[in-house]
Amino acid sequence: MSDVVEKTLTALPSLLLSVDSQPGSAKLSTSSKLGSLIRNITELTSKHEEEKLIQRELSSIKDQVSSPNTTMRQMKELMVRAIYCEMLGYDSSFTYIHAIKLAQQGSVLEKRVGYLAVSLFLNEHHELLLLLVNTVLKDLQSTNLIEVCMALTVVSQIFPKDMIPAILPLVEEKLNHPKEIIRRKAVLALYKFHLIAPNQVQHIHNKFRKALCDKDPGVMGASLHIYLHLIQENPEGYKDLTTSFVTILKQVVGGKLPMDFNYHSVPAPWIQIQLLQILSLLGKNDPGTSEIMHEILEESLRRAEMNHNITYAILYECVKCIYTIHPKSDLLEKAAKCIGNFVLSSKINLKYLGLKALTYVVQQDPKLALQHQMTIIECLEHPDLIIKRETLEILFRITNAQNVTVIVEKMLTFLSTSEDDHTTIDLVGKVAELAKKYAPDNEWFIQTMNAVFSLGGETMQPDITNSFLKLLSEGFDSVEEDRKLKVFAVNSYVSLLEGEPEKLPQRFLQVISWVLGEFSHLQQDVGAETVVCLLDKLLHMKNSTSETKTWVLMAMTKVCEGAACAPLVQSVCETYSSSLDTVLRQRAQELQHLSRDPALRARVLPPVCTREPLEVDSSLSFLDEFVSEALAAGAAPYKPSHQRQEELAQTKAVSYEPYQLTLPISTTAHTHTPSLLSISSSLSEGSADLSHKGGSSSLKLEGVKRVWGRGGYEAAQVETPSPPQEGGDPSISHTPPLTSEDTESKQQEQQLASSMFLGLDHSSVTLMGKGDSTPSWLKRKERGQTPLNDAQTFTDPQELTDPSPLHVVSPQFPQSPVIANGTSDTEAALALACLDTNRSSTNQLEDRGLSLYLPAELSGLICSEISVLCSSESLELSACHVHKLRSLEMIVFISNSSDNAVQQIQVQLHSEQLEVSCASESQMEEVKGHSVVVRQYSLRVRKPSVHVELIGTLFHPETPQNVQFTYRLPLSSFIRPLTLSTEEYGTMWLSFSNDTKQNLTLVHSENEGPLRATLNVLTEDLHLHVVEIIGMEAIVACRLLQDQPCLMHCRVHGDALAVWLRSPVPELPDCLIYHCQRALQGH
Amino acid sequence: MIRAILIFNNHGKPRLSKFYEHYTEDTEQQIIRETFHLVSKRDENVCNFLEGGMLIGGSDYKLIYRHYATLYFVFCVDSSESELGILDLIQVFVETLDKCFENVCELDLIFHVDKVHNILAEMVMGGMVLETNMNEIIMQVDAQNKMEKSEAGIAGAPARAVSAVKNMNLPEMPRNINIGDISIKVPNLPSFK
C-alpha cells in the first residue's frame, strides 16, 4: 500500500509542474539566474558597474516577488538571490516581508530559507519581526522536529524582547523533550532570553540546574553557557555547584563521555574549556572553593599531553584558572612551567598565548618575566606586529622608575612604525601614563610628551592632552621645580616652532599655543614679540584648522605686551575680525580690545598660578528662576530623553495576548487596576541594559587582585632556577656558545635585557597598580578636602580586663530610644522591626569578635555579616554594612595581627554606582600591633543596579603592591520604608513615569491570607512600608537612599501577585522587582 | 560569545557574513572591508589572532582567522572565548563543509549560500557554540536534506498528502551514546522544585 502511495507521490510533481509555466526549467532557470549573476559580477571591473548590475537584479527580483503568480518555490530561489545581494551590501528591504511570508506559508524546506532570510535581514528591533511571532508559536507546537528546531534557532538569533512571555512556556516545555537536540537548542534559546531580559526567566533557574544534570552531555554542555554567564554576574550565588562542576570535569577528563565527544582523541575539549572558565570564576578570592578544585586542575594539567592544538587550548585555560583562584604553590609552579612551554614554543600561535599569559601573570609574579627576559627581548624584534604589541604590553606592566626610559623608548620606536589606528591610540595612552608616573626628570618628561603628541596625531584620546595641561598648570610642591618644568616646556616649544611646525599635528599645535600663552613670560630670554611672531606663523600655515587658530588667537591675547607686537597683532585682528567663523571673529575682537587695554587684560586674564579654581554649578541652579517663570507661564516641564523615548514606546506597545471575551460590565469593577497582561517595554529595556553591563568583560584578568600570600609565592620561587640578576651582568648561564658576530648581538640583547628588567627583583619595586603611586617629583598640591570625623582606634579586646560589657550589638536591644546612642527612635524602631530576621547574621557577627569595634552610634542597628575583604602580610581587612535610617554606613576593620605597628596604611574606595564619603579626616592610618582600626564610610546610590559593587585598594608601605578588593552589596540594603498617606500616594503615583509590571508568586501561610503573607515577607526583607490594603489589592511605598521614592501596587490575580512599580528613577523598578523575586524565592 | 563570522576570498569579496549582533548595513560592509584589510596584509607565518578592529567593539574583541586556498574564514569573538578553541572550531567547520560538498571550493559557497548557513546554524546558535562534533552536524544537515528530497517529490501534491508526509516524524536520529554508562550524575544538587 505504502509503495503505491509513494509511487503516486513521485509521479505527481511532474504532472503538476507541467501545469505551471515552463515546469522543468523553472528550477534550472532560477538557479542559473543566480549563476549568471555571479558570473557577470566576476567579469566586472569597477564598483560602479557592479552597482548597476545589482540594481538591475534587484528590480527584477522586486517585480517577481510582488507578482501573485510566483510560487513559494520560486520565492525561495528569489530569497537566495536577495540574500546574495544583501551580503554584497545592497539594500533589498522590499523582500523582508516576503521572507516572513515564506517562513509562514512555505513547506518545511521553503520555511527554512524563509527563516534564514529573516534572521539575516532583520534585527531584534525591526517592526516586521512582530509578524513572525505567530509563525514561531505555530512551529514550536509542530510535531515535526525539524520545524521545532528551526523555530528554536530563529528564536535564539532574533526575537523581540517584548514578545518573550508569549513563547516562553513553549520553550520551557521543550526542556523536557525526549530528543536531546531539541533540549539543547531550548537551553540556548533560554540563555538568549536571559541575556536580553533576565527578569523574565528568573523563575526557571531551577530548570537550568536540571539541564546541567541532563543525561545527555551535549545538553549539559549547552547549559554551561548559561552558568558561565550567571556566575560571572554573581559568583557567590553558585558556590554550591562547585563540587558538581568539579565532578563533571573529572568525568570528562577521565574519558567517561562517549567517543562521540572526542576531538582528535581529546575528550570534549570545548566542554573542558568552559568548565575551567567556570571554575576560575568560582575559585577567585575564595580559598575554600579553590581547595575543592586543586586536585582536578592538577589532573587536567597532567592529562593534557602536548600533541595537538586543542590540548594547548585546555592547558592555557587551566593555567589561567590556576593563576586566578586562591593559590597553591606546587600548582603555580607547574603552571609557570607550562607558560614557559608556551613562550618558548616555535609555534607562533602558542608563543602569542604564552605572552598573553605572561601579561596576566607578571603583576602577581614579576619573577616569571625575569625568567623569560631573553625571549621577551627576541619577541620585541619579531616580524609579527601582534606579537610585538603583546610584548610591549608585558613591558608596560613591569615598568618602574628604574626601567621606564628604556621601555618608553621601545614603545616609541614601535609607534613610529605602526600604521594601525587602534594600536596607536592604545599605545600612546600607555606611554603618556608611564611618563606621568615614572618620569625621572623634567627634560625627559617634556621630550616624551612631545613624542607622544607628534606620534599620536589627531586620533589620540583627548584626555591625554587635558591631563598634561592640567599637570603643567597645577604644578608641583616645589616652586623651583615647577618653574624649571615650565621653562623647559616653553624652550622646547619655541625651538619646535622655529623648526618645521607644518609637520606637527593640530592637537600638538594647540597644546603648544596654550603653553606659550600661559608660561612664556617665565622665560626671560624669549621676548613677547618673538612668541607672537611664532604664533603668527601658525596662523599662516595652510593646514591649520580653525580650532587651532582659535587656540593661537587666545594665546596671543595672553602674550601680547609692549609696543613691539602691536603692528603684528593689529594685522591679525584685521584679518580675522572679518572671518566667516564666528568663534574666530569673537577671539579676534577680544584680542583687539585686550591688547589695547593692559589693565583690563590683567583683570580678565590673570596668570594661571594666581587663579582660584573655578566653581562650577553643575546643577545649573542659577537657572531655577527662569525655569519657574517659564513653568508658571505654562511651559511643559522638562523630561529627560530616556523618559520621552519610553513614553513614545509605550504608545506603540503591542498586546500580544488574544482579546478576551467581552464580559458583562458589572464584573469589571477594577477598571483602573494595572493590566496584568502587557509587559511594558521599559522593563525589558532596563533589564537588558543590566545584563549587558554585567556580562561584558568579566574574564579579563588585568587588575585582578593579588590572590596569594607571600608563602605560596616564595615557595614557588625557591625551586625555580634563580633568574639572572640585574646590573649589567651578561654572563647568563644557559646561553649556548655562539659565533663572534652572534655573541655581539646577543650581548647587546642582554644589555638591553638587564636595563629593561632593572628593579624587578627589588622588594621596593612599584609595580603598576590601579591606584597612582606618583613618584616624589610629581607630588601634586592637595586641593581642598573637607575632613569629617576622626577614625576610631581601639585597642585589642584581649587587653581589656572585662570584655563582656562590650557586646553592644545584641538581639536584646533595649526599647528606650535613649540607649540608642543618638540614633532617632524611628531608626531604632526600624532596627527592632527587622531584628528577628537578622538574628542569625548578628550571631555570626559576634563570632568574629570584630563586632566589638563597631562604632557606638551604630550599635543596635541592622548590620550585615562581617566578611573578610583581603589580607596582606599581617594585615586583614574586613567589612560590613550597617543600615541607618538616613544612610548606609560601611565599616572597614583593619586588623593587625603582628606585634609591630604598621604605619601609613591607606584604604581607598571607589565605585561607579555609589558615592562614597569617608568619615575620617586622615588618609593614612597607623595600626598598632594586635589592634584594630575602624574606618567608616557612608554610601549613597548614584546609579541603581541590582547589585552594587565597591572597588577598593589597600596601600600598604611594606609590600610592593597595592592589594585590591571588591565589596558587593545588594540594592535592597539601600531601601528604606517611605511613610505616606493614600492621598499622597495617589498624587505621587501619577507623577512618576518609569514603571515595571511583573507577576510574582504568592506565599501561602496558615495564619494569614496569601496577600498578607506575601506582603509580610516583602516588607521584612526589603523594608517596605505598606500604605494600605484594600481587599485583594495593596499599595506599598519605599525609598532608595537618599530620597528616591518607589511606589508599588499589588493585586492578587489567581495564583500570582500582579505587581506594578513606579518611580522617577528609571532603573529602580526593575532592580526592586528583582529583589522582590529573590525575597519570595527564599520562602 | 561569537559576534560575527565572515568568509571572504583573497580579493575581499564576501562569501558569507553572519552577524550575531545588530549593526547597520553600512557598518557591516565596513566591518567586512576593514577585517579584510587587516587580515589580508598578514603573512602566512604569523599568528592567527588579531586584536582590536575599531569597528567591531575595540580592544575587548579578537579576530581569529584561518586562510584556506582562496578563502579567509574569520571569527570575531569577545574575550570570553578561547583563542585556540575557536581556531579548531573553524577547522571543524571547514572539514564539515568539505564533507557536505565533497571537496568544497569557493563556488560551492557561492551557489549554496543557504546550505552553508544551515550548516553553520547547527554549529553556532545565536553566538554560542552548539555542536562541535562533525558527524553530529552532518547527521542533522542530512536529516534536513532528506526532508528536502521528500518534499521535492510531492511539490504541489494534494494538501492531504503533504500533511501526511509532514506528520510522519523523521526517523530517529540516534546518537551513539550509551546513556547507561556515561553517568554524568551530579551529586549533592539541591532538590528541584
Side-chain angles (χ1 to χ4, degrees):
Chain A
M1 175 63 193
S2 64
D3 283 355
V4 180
V5 173
E6 210 164 86
K7 271 179 192 163
T8 341
L9 287 179
T10 42
L12 262 173
S14 53
L15 283 170
L16 287 163
L17 282 175
S18 60
V19 186
D20 247 9
S21 55
Q22 288 137 21
S25 61
K27 194 184 173 191
L28 244 176
S29 72
T30 40
S31 70
S32 70
K33 258 183 201 161
L34 176 68
S36 67
L37 168 70
I38 290 157
R39 232 163 286 137
N40 288 338
I41 286 182
T42 46
E43 282 162 14
L44 296 178
T45 46
S46 74
K47 184 83 189 159
H48 180 65
E49 284 177 52
E50 183 191 292
E51 226 162 84
K52 259 178 24 197
L53 186 81
I54 299 276
Q55 289 309 342
R56 233 181 12 244
E57 173 77 11
L58 281 175
S59 61
S60 100
I61 295 178
K62 198 170 191 172
D63 290 344
Q64 287 184 59
V65 285
S66 45
S67 128
N69 296 329
T70 314
T71 62
M72 280 294 155
R73 233 172 103 207
Q74 285 163 328
M75 193 66 97
K76 185 189 123 200
E77 307 294 338
L78 287 170
M79 272 314 143
V80 176
R81 271 156 73 195
I83 290 176
Y84 189 79
C85 294
E86 188 94 344
M87 183 177 71
L88 290 179
Y90 296 90
D91 176 57
S92 58
S93 47
F94 59 88
T95 53
Y96 295 177
I97 185 75
H98 297 284
I100 289 179
K101 228 161 86 186
L102 192 64
Q104 229 159 46
Q105 298 167 355
S107 63
V108 179
L109 186 61
E110 292 142 12
K111 198 184 257 300
R112 189 165 64 160
V113 175
Y115 271 136
L116 175 65
V118 168
S119 70
L120 287 172
F121 291 157
L122 303 185
N123 64 64
E124 274 165 35
H125 311 293
H126 204 286
E127 289 171 340
L128 286 179
L129 216 51
L130 291 178
L131 299 177
L132 197 70
V133 174
N134 225 350
T135 317
V136 170
L137 266 176
K138 205 179 77 199
D139 285 340
L140 280 177
Q141 287 161 313
S142 160
T143 50
N144 187 334
L145 283 185
I146 289 188
E147 285 183 341
V148 179
C149 273
M150 285 190 301
L152 285 173
T153 309
V154 85
V155 156
S156 73
Q157 169 81 18
I158 39 164
F159 200 73
K161 236 178 332 208
D162 310 344
M163 293 297 139
I164 289 175
I167 59 161
L168 191 57
L170 282 175
V171 179
E172 247 181 279
E173 199 177 274
K174 294 286 175 287
L175 286 177
N176 300 323
H177 200 277
K179 279 275 172 301
E180 80 280 333
I181 184 74
I182 303 275
R183 291 205 299 275
R184 228 161 170 207
K185 290 193 169 179
V187 167
L188 284 187
L190 288 175
Y191 174 49
K192 182 76 180 181
F193 293 167
H194 176 76
L195 284 181
I196 56 178
N199 284 345
Q200 302 189 357
V201 289
Q202 192 84 48
H203 62 285
I204 42 177
H205 280 197
N206 277 335
K207 298 207 171 156
F208 292 153
R209 292 202 173 206
K210 211 162 158 190
L212 184 65
C213 10
D214 196 282
K215 60 181 184 281
D216 182 81
V219 183
M220 181 275 292
S223 75
L224 293 180
H225 286 291
I226 300 180
Y227 276 102
L228 187 60
H229 184 85
L230 289 176
I231 293 172
Q232 240 166 23
E233 281 181 339
N234 173 23
E236 294 308 318
Y238 298 91
K239 297 278 184 192
D240 57 324
L241 284 177
T242 313
T243 42
S244 313
F245 289 123
V246 168
T247 321
I248 294 171
L249 185 57
K250 235 177 229 165
Q251 296 181 52
V252 174
V253 171
K256 296 273 168 52
L257 295 195
M259 290 298 279
D260 243 19
F261 285 87
N262 284 7
Y263 175 77
H264 289 263
S265 66
V266 182
W270 284 276
I271 292 183
Q272 283 196 48
I273 290 172
Q274 260 186 330
L275 281 166
L276 286 167
Q277 287 175 339
I278 290 178
L279 288 184
S280 70
L281 288 173
L282 283 172
K284 192 171 162 185
N285 302 337
D286 185 344
T289 314
S290 302
E291 191 69 36
I292 307 172
M293 52 187 86
H294 282 151
E295 188 193 338
I296 183 63
L297 286 175
E298 196 167 350
E299 168 134 6
S300 283
L301 272 185
R302 197 162 36 90
R303 287 253 188 174
E305 291 141 21
M306 308 273 187
N307 54 9
H308 189 265
N309 206 6
I310 200 74
T311 47
Y312 284 105
I314 297 172
L315 270 180
Y316 179 67
E317 240 24 87
C318 217
V319 167
K320 248 163 93 174
C321 182
I322 289 172
Y323 270 96
T324 315
I325 63 170
H326 192 84
K328 188 178 175 217
S329 56
D330 59 329
L331 266 184
L332 283 177
E333 192 188 317
K334 280 178 188 152
K337 216 162 140 193
C338 228
I339 293 181
N341 285 337
F342 273 98
V343 174
L344 297 173
S345 165
S346 58
K347 286 183 188 158
I348 191 90
N349 284 340
L350 299 186
K351 203 179 223 46
Y352 169 81
L353 286 180
L355 292 173
K356 232 176 147 74
L358 267 185
T359 34
Y360 289 146
V361 171
V362 280
Q363 271 179 340
Q364 306 163 338
D365 191 358
K367 295 282 189 302
L368 206 58
L370 269 179
Q371 262 178 49
H372 297 294
Q373 52 177 326
M374 290 320 287
T375 324
I376 293 177
I377 300 285
E378 272 164 34
C379 288
L380 263 184
E381 302 307 321
H382 202 278
D384 187 354
L385 289 182
I386 298 291
I387 297 271
K388 258 191 191 174
R389 227 181 72 191
E390 202 54 48
T391 317
L392 289 177
E393 182 75 39
I394 300 181
L395 292 181
F396 171 68
R397 289 174 192 232
I398 58 167
T399 310
N400 55 42
Q402 280 154 297
N403 59 15
V404 64
T405 42
V406 191
I407 288 177
V408 165
E409 191 191 317
K410 281 283 156 200
M411 287 182 165
L412 291 176
T413 331
F414 179 82
L415 264 178
S416 55
T417 58
S418 153
E419 290 161 8
D420 172 23
D421 274 357
H422 179 77
T423 319
T424 313
I425 295 172
D426 183 51
L427 213 53
V428 157
K430 282 180 177 154
V431 173
E433 193 182 331
L434 290 181
K436 204 169 114 187
K437 268 192 181 156
Y438 300 112
D441 54 52
N442 290 334
E443 201 169 322
W444 185 88
F445 178 65
I446 295 291
Q447 267 165 4
T448 308
M449 287 315 284
N450 285 355
V452 164
F453 289 132
S454 21
L455 290 170
E458 314 306 331
T459 50
M460 197 167 49
Q461 288 150 334
D463 56 323
I464 297 177
T465 40
N466 291 346
S467 71
F468 174 71
L469 294 183
K470 195 164 160 244
L471 198 96
L472 273 187
S473 65
E474 281 181 358
F476 315 119
D477 279 344
S478 140
V479 182
E480 186 49 29
E481 271 302 294
D482 194 28
R483 208 188 64 83
K484 266 191 198 158
L485 175 72
K486 285 169 184 168
V487 167
F488 190 84
V490 170
N491 284 345
S492 126
Y493 293 155
V494 166
S495 63
L496 271 177
L497 288 190
E498 279 165 351
E500 293 179 81
E502 296 84 7
K503 288 186 181 160
L504 302 177
Q506 300 295 314
R507 276 278 180 75
F508 193 18
L509 291 179
Q510 291 160 14
V511 169
I512 291 179
S513 6
W514 189 87
V515 172
L516 288 183
E518 290 289 342
F519 304 121
S520 63
H521 63 92
L522 291 173
Q523 170 61 298
Q524 307 299 335
D525 303 345
V526 185
E529 69 276 8
T530 333
V531 177
V532 173
C533 267
L534 287 173
L535 289 174
D536 182 54
K537 218 162 98 186
L538 295 184
L539 288 177
H540 292 297
M541 263 161 39
K542 275 189 214 118
N543 51 1
S544 294
T545 60
S546 55
E547 198 194 344
T548 311
K549 285 179 183 166
T550 320
W551 284 75
V552 171
L553 285 181
M554 281 168 71
M556 277 187 170
T557 319
K558 289 176 207 160
V559 176
C560 65
E561 207 170 318
C565 7
L568 195 55
V569 166
Q570 195 52 41
S571 77
V572 167
C573 290
E574 273 163 24
T575 324
Y576 288 100
S577 45
S578 56
S579 164
L580 283 179
D581 190 319
T582 44
V583 182
L584 270 180
R585 213 153 61 212
Q586 161 91 14
R587 297 288 168 235
Q589 289 293 338
E590 285 171 13
L591 175 58
Q592 193 162 20
H593 286 295
L594 294 179
S595 64
R596 282 180 196 154
D597 188 348
L600 179 64
R601 199 182 59 144
R603 245 186 4 190
V604 178
L605 296 167
V608 73
C609 35
T610 60
R611 245 173 258 165
E612 281 300 308
L614 288 176
E615 280 189 20
V616 180
D617 181 2
S618 58
S619 67
L620 305 179
S621 60
F622 54 88
L623 286 175
D624 283 352
E625 199 180 333
F626 174 76
V627 171
S628 57
E629 267 171 31
L631 282 176
Y638 173 72
K639 285 179 188 163
S641 65
H642 61 83
Q643 200 173 323
R644 270 173 280 163
Q645 269 159 10
E646 257 163 35
E647 276 170 21
L648 267 179
Q650 271 170 8
T651 52
K652 276 199 243 163
V654 182
S655 163
Y656 52 83
E657 288 281 327
Y659 292 109
Q660 284 181 349
L661 291 173
T662 338
L663 296 168
I665 298 163
S666 59
T667 58
T668 55
H670 40 73
T671 41
H672 285 290
T673 51
S675 143
L676 300 170
L677 303 173
S678 64
I679 301 265
S680 78
S681 58
S682 66
L683 155 69
S684 12
E685 253 161 54
S687 49
D689 283 349
L690 283 178
S691 72
H692 285 312
K693 257 175 256 155
S696 60
S697 61
S698 331
L699 250 193
K700 266 192 171 172
L701 291 187
E702 295 110 287
V704 167
K705 102 176 168 188
R706 209 189 102 175
V707 277
W708 62 87
R710 272 272 139 143
Y713 171 94
E714 275 173 353
Q717 183 205 342
V718 168
E719 305 191 18
T720 47
S722 76
Q725 297 297 303
E726 101 290 2
D729 178 12
S731 61
I732 288 171
S733 51
H734 53 264
T735 30
L738 299 155
T739 60
S740 64
E741 205 172 280
D742 271 359
T743 328
E744 206 167 284
S745 70
K746 274 284 161 199
Q747 268 176 357
Q748 275 176 358
E749 279 186 4
Q750 279 163 8
Q751 262 169 10
L752 177 63
S754 58
S755 54
M756 198 170 276
F757 295 88
L758 195 65
L760 267 192
D761 41 7
H762 284 296
S763 56
S764 65
V765 250
T766 31
L767 280 164
M768 296 263 324
K770 269 262 167 119
D772 44 12
S773 42
T774 332
S776 56
W777 79 283
L778 274 184
K779 275 271 153 49
R780 304 256 201 84
K781 283 178 197 157
E782 297 272 332
R783 297 221 172 196
Q785 278 175 342
T786 41
L788 291 169
N789 255 327
D790 269 345
Q792 290 134 321
T793 316
F794 295 91
T795 45
D796 194 283
Q798 311 303 325
E799 292 168 18
L800 290 169
T801 43
D802 184 12
S804 55
L806 273 173
H807 280 262
V808 278
V809 185
S810 73
Q812 261 63 54
F813 182 71
Q815 302 260 333
S816 152
V818 184
I819 312 175
N821 272 345
T823 53
S824 68
D825 25 359
T826 22
E827 213 158 86
L830 170 70
L832 273 177
C834 306
L835 221 44
D836 278 347
T837 50
N838 286 281
R839 186 161 292 162
S840 59
S841 62
T842 318
N843 288 341
Q844 276 167 328
L845 189 151
E846 280 177 345
D847 292 342
R848 299 253 182 182
L850 280 172
S851 61
L852 301 181
Y853 297 106
L854 268 178
E857 82 258 17
L858 297 179
S859 59
L861 298 175
I862 307 166
C863 172
S864 73
E865 189 183 332
I866 298 178
S867 55
V868 178
L869 294 175
C870 65
S871 55
S872 158
E873 313 259 316
S874 58
L875 286 182
E876 190 176 72
L877 240 64
S878 323
C880 66
H881 51 270
V882 181
H883 295 216
K884 281 172 83 171
L885 186 63
R886 302 232 135 259
S887 65
L888 188 78
E889 302 290 314
M890 175 173 169
I891 313 294
V892 177
F893 304 91
I894 311 169
S895 45
N896 181 1
S897 58
S898 73
D899 297 331
N900 307 325
V902 187
Q903 283 167 347
Q904 292 190 316
I905 296 169
Q906 213 178 330
V907 180
Q908 284 185 357
L909 297 175
H910 63 92
S911 165
E912 282 178 15
Q913 300 129 333
L914 295 175
E915 257 178 60
V916 186
S917 55
C918 181
S920 76
E921 60 183 5
S922 63
Q923 294 293 318
M924 302 286 183
E925 294 279 6
E926 182 189 344
V927 188
K928 299 210 180 78
H930 295 294
S931 74
V932 177
V933 167
V934 175
R935 287 178 71 89
Q936 185 175 342
Y937 299 87
S938 53
L939 308 180
R940 272 199 200 179
V941 179
R942 194 185 288 160
K943 218 170 90 201
S945 113
V946 173
H947 284 95
V948 289
E949 198 170 60
L950 273 166
I951 298 165
T953 321
L954 170 67
F955 298 95
H956 180 358
E958 283 169 30
T959 50
Q961 282 147 320
N962 307 323
V963 185
Q964 293 223 341
F965 55 87
T966 54
Y967 189 68
R968 258 167 83 98
L969 53 174
L971 192 78
S972 51
S973 323
F974 294 92
I975 300 290
R976 300 286 179 272
L978 177 65
T979 331
L980 37 74
S981 69
T982 313
E983 290 76 37
E984 285 168 330
Y985 183 98
T987 46
M988 277 172 98
W989 179 265
L990 291 175
S991 62
F992 298 160
S993 54
N994 299 295
D995 64 354
T996 291
K997 292 169 208 166
Q998 184 94 0
N999 285 357
L1000 299 177
T1001 44
L1002 279 169
V1003 174
H1004 295 281
S1005 149
E1006 289 168 10
N1007 317 332
E1008 305 156 305
L1011 178 63
R1012 251 316 155 177
T1014 314
L1015 283 178
N1016 280 348
V1017 171
L1018 289 180
T1019 44
E1020 258 175 35
D1021 281 17
L1022 297 171
H1023 315 160
L1024 311 174
H1025 171 74
V1026 180
V1027 181
E1028 200 176 353
I1029 299 180
I1030 316 155
M1032 296 310 267
E1033 291 179 43
I1035 49 177
V1036 180
C1038 66
R1039 66 190 165 93
L1040 180 72
L1041 289 173
Q1042 277 295 337
D1043 293 304
Q1044 294 168 325
C1046 185
L1047 305 180
M1048 186 166 157
H1049 176 279
C1050 319
R1051 197 168 67 90
V1052 178
H1053 183 265
D1055 264 354
L1057 184 70
V1059 177
W1060 191 359
L1061 284 165
R1062 274 196 171 188
S1063 166
V1065 189
E1067 299 93 346
L1068 191 52
D1070 275 346
C1071 300
L1072 209 59
I1073 261 292
Y1074 172 86
H1075 285 290
C1076 289
Q1077 278 170 341
R1078 291 304 285 266
L1080 293 178
Q1081 252 175 19
H1083 278 260
Chain B
M1 200 178 143
I2 299 168
R3 302 291 158 154
I5 294 171
L6 308 172
I7 305 177
F8 40 72
N9 71 1
N10 289 348
H11 305 292
K13 281 267 165 233
R15 291 303 175 219
L16 177 130
S17 68
K18 176 86 181 166
F19 289 87
Y20 293 97
E21 243 173 29
H22 173 56
Y23 297 99
T24 61
E25 187 72 13
D26 289 342
T27 326
E28 285 184 4
Q29 289 304 316
Q30 220 174 328
I31 289 173
I32 296 175
R33 272 199 303 276
E34 191 185 299
T35 313
F36 171 70
H37 180 71
L38 281 174
V39 167
S40 62
K41 65 180 178 192
R42 292 179 63 75
D43 298 334
E44 286 295 318
N45 58 346
V46 296
C47 65
N48 299 59
F49 315 119
L50 268 172
E51 267 170 49
M54 285 300 280
L55 279 168
I56 206 157
S59 54
D60 199 30
Y61 289 70
K62 293 171 284 202
L63 298 175
I64 295 165
Y65 73 96
R66 266 178 188 268
H67 189 195
Y68 294 92
T70 61
L71 290 174
Y72 284 100
F73 287 72
V74 186
F75 278 44
C76 175
V77 301
D78 67 14
S79 57
S80 68
E81 294 288 342
S82 151
E83 287 94 341
L84 291 175
I86 294 290
L87 212 53
D88 273 35
L89 192 69
I90 301 179
Q91 182 68 29
V92 172
F93 180 39
V94 175
E95 277 178 32
T96 313
L97 289 178
D98 199 52
K99 271 228 171 132
C100 288
F101 291 109
E102 284 159 19
N103 286 331
V104 67
C105 67
E106 195 180 336
L107 281 179
D108 290 320
L109 264 66
I110 302 172
F111 288 105
H112 303 286
V113 96
D114 53 331
K115 279 195 188 125
V116 180
H117 270 293
N118 287 330
I119 293 170
L120 193 59
E122 292 303 320
M123 286 184 71
V124 178
M125 190 168 139
M128 270 81 65
V129 180
L130 175 72
E131 177 63 76
T132 51
N133 178 3
M134 188 163 68
N135 297 329
E136 185 67 22
I137 300 165
I138 292 172
M139 202 148 65
Q140 291 296 334
V141 174
D142 278 351
Q144 294 173 18
N145 289 345
K146 256 184 225 156
M147 199 70 177
E148 181 171 355
K149 278 181 196 135
S150 61
E151 287 249 332
I154 50 146
R160 217 158 11 116
V162 177
S163 65
V165 175
K166 266 195 187 173
N167 290 335
M168 295 195 307
N169 254 337
L170 282 178
E172 294 281 299
M173 292 171 277
R175 179 181 192 133
N176 17 339
I177 45 165
N178 193 342
I179 290 169
D181 279 358
I182 48 161
S183 64
I184 287 277
K185 278 193 197 107
V186 183
N188 307 332
L189 270 182
S191 62
F192 304 112
K193 277 177 194 169

